[in-house]
Amino acid sequence: MDPRQTIVELCRQFYTQGWVSGTGGGISIRDGDKVWMAPSGVQKERLQPDDLFTVDLEGCVLTSPGEGRKLSACAPLFLSAMRQRDAGAVIHSHSINAMLATLTVGAPNPKTGFAELHITHLEMMKGLRGHGYHDTAIVPVLPNTAHEADLADSMSAAIDAYPNTFAVLVQRHGLYVWGRDWVEAKTHAECYDYLFEAVVRMRAMGIDASVVPESSGTDALGAGSTSGAQNAAE
């Protein structure tokens, strides 16, 4: 399928999920050295294929939808994940679950300088490549900035510091999440969103999602699960 059409269809779906409302959020798809992404400040659910920009991996515009359109302020962050992780697609979500999850983290890790969200022993973790039920998924949390493009340096540093993550949270803002192609990026986004909602709901119940449950040794849900990409969430 044409990457432009895929972006249009996914943005409409993400809008119904509350991920790209109010012109925020979006998705960028890469094919080789070409990257497609939406303009800044547009209603994502009303996008058309001809509305999209095409850029190279350095952010230079190859094709433009015309005058009056401005490249997304998310472009440097999308491109960081593509260059540093060879991502084929990157999603930026303004999910309320992602935003609320950033409010549950503590002080920054002194070794990395980033706050961290830790999640363990939840079945949906198995939808994240390389993660199993008994593992701990760690998502770095960046301090927010007044302008989106100003996040680029800290996002790049977080991607380097956390080689096992497929996502970066932004405090009181949202999420950047990626995969080897749009299918995996979408899968990761859906799994992380579920996990973030679980973290927030568990916190309200007095349960810490970063702590191994006492029953983990006999927990039927996790019995026999192992780490690895083969453990897709079922």
Side-chain angles (χ1 to χ4, degrees):
M1 183 184 292
D2 184 337
R4 298 175 301 170
Q5 187 62 40
T6 301
I7 289 174
V8 167
E9 292 181 7
L10 289 174
C11 279
R12 290 173 183 163
Q13 176 182 334
F14 296 160
Y15 178 79
T16 67
Q17 295 172 272
W19 293 2
V20 297
S21 56
T23 79
I27 178 172
S28 179
I29 293 180
R30 170 189 173 192
D31 184 4
D33 294 331
K34 290 184 178 181
V35 181
W36 287 264
M37 62 183 69
S40 179
V42 299
Q43 302 288 335
K44 299 301 189 300
E45 77 279 13
R46 298 179 63 86
L47 277 177
Q48 298 298 324
D50 290 343
D51 293 329
L52 302 183
F53 281 87
T54 309
V55 303
D56 64 19
L57 286 173
E58 300 304 317
C60 297
V61 175
L62 303 176
T63 64
S64 168
E67 293 185 12
R69 295 294 194 186
K70 182 180 179 182
L71 186 64
S72 172
C74 301
L77 293 94
F78 288 146
L79 295 172
S80 288
M82 291 176 177
R83 290 193 301 263
Q84 293 173 252
R85 290 294 180 82
D86 197 29
V90 185
I91 296 168
H92 179 37
S93 167
H94 281 196
S95 159
I96 189 69
N97 295 327
M99 189 282 292
L100 290 174
T102 71
L103 305 183
T104 70
V105 300
N109 182 331
K111 292 183 178 180
T112 65
F114 296 107
E116 299 173 350
L117 185 70
H118 290 227
I119 308 166
T120 191
H121 285 72
L122 290 175
E123 181 73 4
M124 196 62 82
M125 289 171 53
K126 288 158 59 176
L128 308 176
R129 179 166 27 114
H131 290 71
Y133 174 79
H134 293 285
D135 296 324
T136 296
I138 302 175
V139 184
V141 183
L142 313 184
N144 199 17
T145 58
H147 303 288
E148 196 113 21
D150 295 338
L151 290 166
D153 288 344
S154 58
M155 178 163 168
S156 179
I159 289 174
D160 281 342
Y162 296 85
N164 294 322
T165 190
F166 295 97
V168 172
L169 284 161
V170 183
Q171 191 78 33
R172 296 176 177 264
H173 180 156
L175 170 76
Y176 285 87
V177 56
W178 56 88
R180 57 167 65 100
D181 52 27
W182 72 263
V183 176
E184 186 177 71
K186 177 176 176 289
T187 300
H188 285 164
E190 291 168 351
C191 291
Y192 276 118
D193 198 68
Y194 175 100
L195 293 169
F196 298 151
E197 182 175 4
V199 166
V200 174
R201 291 194 181 198
M202 290 170 70
R203 174 66 67 94
M205 297 170 64
I207 303 170
D208 187 341
S210 70
V211 175
V212 176
E214 293 182 3
S215 61
S216 63
T218 57
D219 191 331
L221 183 64
S225 66
T226 58
S227 303
Q230 71 273 18
N231 292 318
E234 297 177 353

